[in-house]
């Protein structure tokens, strides 16, 4: 018969709670299980703002080993947001898989722990733009030889200004609405901003951006833009555009 403590060591928090209820532990095994629950609870909540399952913990660990994440960690150092960024990348993957319910649960946990800033990082993940931001931050280090302090400041500006530097195109918008919104960001001298569109709104966004580009509006105002696109597992199209001032180059 396997030693229950050896089994407990291998379990994540959610699995551990289920195991305790199922096995009706007592004595030394129960005391150890209680201590491990406290330790795991504190560690997970402190790091992520929510308690990942064993499978989720494995996924988060794999994300922390990806080239993209390691590049950002190299640029920002031990920044307070890094665990949340890992969760943001995880949320981005969940959105591509159409797992809306799980995404909403994670967002609620994050809001309870970190408030609106945590939610903004979640939006970086849910919109899929977090990869572009990581690329931008690491690229600034190479192109402009930014110090770590410069890079942290740039990244935090994105977090704090997230509402002001994002345009979400809706199904009832027109291409002219998109152009007006883009012009407004440029007039505000935002050196970085984003446009997002989902499903049917994607064609409206594409039409507006193409029209603005063909008329020379974007280049005249001193901006460059790039585009990313994917289809989630439910077949919904998701587009994001990143607009950068040439001052960043």
């Amino acid at each position: 018969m396997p030693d229950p403590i050896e089994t407990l060591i291998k379990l994540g928090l959610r699995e551990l709670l289920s195991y305790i209820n199922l096995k009706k532990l007592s004595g030394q095994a129960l005391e150890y299980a209680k201590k491990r629950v406290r330790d795991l609870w504190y560690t997970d909540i402190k790091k992520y703002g929510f308690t990942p399952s064993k499978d989720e913990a494995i996924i988060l660990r794999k994300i922390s080993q990806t080239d993209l994440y390691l590049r950002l960690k190299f640029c920002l150092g031990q920044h307070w947001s890094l665990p949340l960024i890992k969760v943001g990348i995880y949320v981005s993957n969940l959105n591509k898989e159409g797992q809306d319910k799980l995404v909403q649960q994670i967002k609620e946990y994050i809001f309870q722990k970190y408030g609106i800033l945590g939610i903004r990082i979640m939006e970086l993940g849910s919109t899929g733009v977090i990869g572009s931001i990581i690329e931008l931050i690491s690229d600034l280090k190479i192109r402009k030889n930014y110090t770590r302090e410069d890079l942290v400041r740039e990244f935090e500006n994105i977090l704090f200004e997230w509402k002001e530097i994002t345009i979400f195109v809706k199904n009832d918008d027109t291409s002219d609405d998109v152009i007006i919104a883009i012009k407004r960001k440029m007039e505000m001298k935002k050196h970085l901003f984003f446009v997002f569109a989902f499903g049917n709104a994607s064609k409206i966004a594409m039409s507006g951006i193409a029209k603005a580009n063909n008329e020379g509006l974007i280049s005249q105002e001193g901006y460059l833009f790039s585009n990313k696109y994917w289809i989630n597992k439910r077949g919904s199209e998701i587009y994001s555009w990143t607009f950068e001032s040439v001052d960043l180059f």
Side-chain angles (χ1 to χ4, degrees), residues 1-244:
M1 183 175 180
D3 183 348
I5 292 182
E6 290 184 6
T7 301
L8 294 172
I9 291 173
K10 300 175 183 178
L11 300 178
L13 182 56
R14 294 182 193 176
E15 294 85 358
L16 180 57
L17 292 171
S18 298
Y19 186 84
I20 292 171
N21 291 331
L22 180 65
K23 297 297 184 179
K24 300 187 182 303
L25 299 176
S26 61
Q28 184 180 1
L30 179 60
E31 290 304 312
Y32 178 83
K34 288 180 179 178
K35 181 179 183 303
R36 181 153 175 79
V37 165
R38 288 193 297 269
D39 291 344
L40 287 173
W41 177 269
Y42 176 77
T43 300
D44 290 342
I45 293 296
K46 184 178 179 182
K47 284 177 65 178
Y48 300 117
F50 77 105
T51 303
S53 67
K54 182 179 179 181
D55 289 342
E56 287 171 333
I58 292 172
I59 293 170
L60 291 167
R61 194 177 306 118
K62 288 181 178 179
I63 289 172
S64 68
Q65 297 167 353
T66 60
D67 176 65
L68 206 59
Y69 179 83
L70 290 173
R71 282 164 59 194
L72 186 64
K73 187 176 181 180
F74 174 73
C75 292
L76 299 183
Q78 297 298 326
H79 194 265
W80 62 268
S81 68
L82 286 177
L84 283 175
I85 291 170
K86 268 195 287 192
V87 178
I89 296 171
Y90 175 49
V91 167
S92 178
N93 295 334
L94 291 176
N95 271 287
K96 291 175 183 178
E97 295 171 1
Q99 297 196 43
D100 297 342
K101 185 175 180 180
L102 182 53
V103 168
Q104 187 57 40
Q105 288 175 348
I106 292 175
K107 284 186 175 182
E108 290 172 1
Y109 290 136
I110 295 299
F111 181 74
Q112 291 172 10
K113 175 67 177 178
Y114 292 100
I116 192 63
L117 268 183
I119 291 299
R120 285 174 182 168
I121 297 176
M122 289 299 93
E123 287 186 344
L124 299 186
S126 64
T127 55
V129 77
I130 196 162
S132 298
I133 292 173
I134 292 174
E135 290 176 2
L136 171 67
I137 294 296
S138 59
D139 194 39
L140 283 173
K141 182 174 180 62
I142 297 170
R143 281 196 279 113
K144 303 194 75 169
N145 197 29
Y146 272 20
T147 65
R148 179 164 287 171
E149 290 74 17
D150 293 330
L151 296 172
V152 168
R153 184 163 52 249
E154 188 70 37
F155 180 73
E156 291 184 346
N157 283 341
I158 292 173
L159 295 185
F160 285 103
E161 292 191 4
W162 180 243
K163 187 176 180 180
E164 287 72 39
I165 61 174
T166 52
I167 300 169
F168 287 89
V169 180
K170 301 183 292 295
N171 288 336
D172 56 355
D173 285 335
T174 66
S175 59
D176 286 339
D177 291 330
V178 176
I179 294 172
I180 291 169
I182 290 173
K183 288 179 66 175
R184 189 174 296 124
K185 299 302 181 188
M186 293 177 175
E187 289 168 357
M188 294 169 67
K189 304 300 181 184
K190 296 297 183 184
H191 68 277
L192 179 73
F193 65 91
F194 307 93
V195 177
F196 302 104
F198 307 87
N200 294 332
S202 302
K203 294 181 181 178
I204 300 169
M206 281 188 281
S207 175
I209 292 171
K211 184 177 179 181
N213 189 47
N214 292 336
E215 292 177 355
L217 170 65
I218 298 171
S219 58
Q220 287 171 12
E221 293 296 327
Y223 283 84
L224 300 173
F225 71 95
S226 58
N227 169 243
K228 288 195 172 184
Y229 156 79
W230 67 90
I231 300 176
N232 67 20
K233 290 192 175 180
R234 292 174 300 180
S236 298
E237 296 179 334
I238 303 172
Y239 283 83
S240 70
W241 289 265
T242 301
F243 288 77
E244 300 175 65

